[in-house]
Amino acid sequence: MKYCLTIILLLTACTWMGCRKEAPIDEDGLLITTRAECYVSNFELLGADFQTVRTKNAVIDTIACTVDVTVFYGTDLKHLYPQFTLVTDAKLDPKITGFTDFSDLANPRTYSVISGNRQVRKTYKVNVTVQPR
């Protein structure tokens, strides 16, 4: 009787665990959700001392997929740290892993925002302008 009860409990536990659906995870270990929203809501640009180098808030156009930011005259454009704030559950590609070179003003850097359901991808251009003297 004791063994029969143990076997029944084990079978019940295995059945319950087998029926439980695991949440889908992407290649970065992030949860894939049902959210299709895909946009940048805020942008910051930091210098080597991790202080802002923006002269004013960045202008984000979610239709044209652009981020326009003006930095102070004399800013070292080869050593900037971009920070994106994205809509909930979205992710950025490429990932920000450190300081980035924004010195080629004729060829703006691009970053893709990928929706939480991983179905929508929008590529944003980050246009940097240096404040005149």
Side-chain angles (χ1 to χ4, degrees):
M1 180 73 173
K2 184 179 175 183
Y3 293 110
C4 187
L5 185 58
T6 303
I7 290 173
I8 290 172
L9 287 173
L10 283 172
L11 287 173
T12 303
C14 289
T15 302
W16 178 76
M17 289 178 73
C19 292
R20 193 174 72 183
K21 188 175 180 180
E22 294 294 324
I25 305 292
D26 72 6
E27 66 279 357
D28 295 319
L30 300 173
L31 183 66
I32 298 173
T33 67
T34 59
R35 293 182 188 264
E37 293 86 2
C38 184
Y39 60 86
V40 174
S41 60
N42 195 24
F43 181 78
E44 180 63 77
L45 202 52
L46 305 176
D49 58 358
F50 292 100
Q51 299 297 313
T52 188
V53 295
R54 292 181 297 102
T55 60
K56 58 186 175 189
N57 287 338
V59 177
I60 301 166
D61 185 333
T62 58
I63 304 299
C65 295
T66 58
V67 176
D68 295 317
V69 61
T70 302
V71 299
F72 292 108
Y73 179 81
T75 298
D76 179 5
L77 299 177
K78 291 186 178 205
H79 201 75
L80 296 175
Y81 196 90
Q83 292 182 326
F84 290 83
T85 303
L86 308 176
V87 65
T88 303
D89 296 337
K91 70 177 191 175
L92 193 68
D93 182 40
K95 297 176 193 121
I96 306 296
T97 58
F99 289 97
T100 304
D101 184 350
F102 283 88
S103 63
D104 187 357
L105 299 178
N107 295 299
R109 288 223 166 245
T110 60
Y111 293 88
S112 292
V113 179
I114 305 165
S115 64
N117 65 9
R118 306 304 185 254
Q119 302 295 313
V120 181
R121 175 185 284 262
K122 293 184 180 177
T123 301
Y124 278 75
K125 278 187 186 180
V126 178
N127 301 304
V128 176
T129 304
V130 178
Q131 180 184 42
R133 280 187 173 189

